[in-house]
Amino acid sequence: MWFTMFEYKSTIIALKAAAMRWHRENPFGVVLGISMFPAAETVVTIGKKLNLPVAMLAIGCDVMFYTKRFPVFWRRLGGILEQVDLPVGVSESICKKLAETGKCKRKPLCVYLGRDSERFSPPKNKRKLRQELGWSDAFRDDWRLFMKSGKSSNFRSFFRFICRNI
């Protein structure tokens, strides 16, 4: 996790000019970051540069795991939260942890991220779905072979595989 301090700086270098250009072309009213490390530090810096409020979404491991395992992250989290206008967590336990820092400008907002389990669930008849999509029955077996081949780490190979099989 030591690398996140460098990741923050490299992310600022990569995004600051682009964010300023995007804001000039199509002004926005808030800067939102997802995950506290390193996104929050990046978003706070960009928010200050653009003179915009900053909202941060804590997603779980950024607050619940890293801060327990690495005490330096607990201190960094407090420093970040002092600069965030709207801290947001995806669960009550995350919001509670954010509040425990004593550094939030306001009470963390709890926003549950969920899904419609009726619409987004595995199909009951996978074979029928593959036929509707025009995928061969062999697609599943080809996919397993592809993943075991070691080529799966190469994005181009993955893209070619998908194109061949759809």
Side-chain angles (χ1 to χ4, degrees), residues 62-71 73-74 77 97:
D62 53 348
V63 173
M64 303 304 280
F65 175 74
Y66 297 146
T67 57
K68 281 184 185 173
R69 185 102 187 242
F70 307 100
F73 281 99
W74 180 251
L77 179 62
K97 192 77 165 175

Side-chain angles (χ1 to χ4, degrees), residues 2 23 27 30 36 69 72 96 109 164:
W2 59 269
H23 188 60
V30 66
M36 288 303 205
R69 185 102 187 242
V72 69
K96 182 180 175 200
L109 176 65
R164 271 196 319 266

Side-chain angles (χ1 to χ4, degrees), residues 64-127:
M64 303 304 280
F65 175 74
Y66 297 146
T67 57
K68 281 184 185 173
R69 185 102 187 242
F70 307 100
V72 69
F73 281 99
W74 180 251
R75 290 189 298 275
R76 281 176 67 188
L77 179 62
I80 291 166
L81 288 171
E82 288 176 326
Q83 303 172 72
V84 169
D85 299 294
L86 177 61
V88 182
V90 298
S91 71
E92 287 295 330
S93 59
I94 291 172
C95 289
K96 182 180 175 200
K97 192 77 165 175
L98 293 172
E100 284 174 10
T101 65
K103 305 286 184 165
C104 295
K105 290 181 179 180
R106 57 161 287 170
K107 181 181 176 186
L109 176 65
C110 191
V111 177
Y112 297 100
L113 301 180
R115 67 179 174 88
D116 181 336
S117 60
E118 295 295 317
R119 292 182 63 202
F120 300 101
S121 60
K124 298 193 184 335
N125 188 338
K126 292 180 183 179
R127 176 168 280 163

Side-chain angles (χ1 to χ4, degrees), residues 8-20:
Y8 149 67
K9 291 182 183 347
S10 64
T11 306
I12 286 291
I13 292 166
L15 289 179
K16 191 164 74 173
M20 292 176 73

Side-chain angles (χ1 to χ4, degrees), residues 119-136:
R119 292 182 63 202
F120 300 101
S121 60
K124 298 193 184 335
N125 188 338
K126 292 180 183 179
R127 176 168 280 163
K128 180 181 175 193
L129 178 62
R130 280 195 296 272
Q131 287 173 341
E132 288 173 10
L133 292 171
W135 293 356
S136 69

Side-chain angles (χ1 to χ4, degrees), residues 142-154:
D142 291 346
W143 175 252
R144 287 186 184 140
L145 288 173
F146 176 73
M147 294 305 286
K148 289 179 182 176
S149 72
K151 293 179 185 176
S152 59
S153 61
N154 181 327

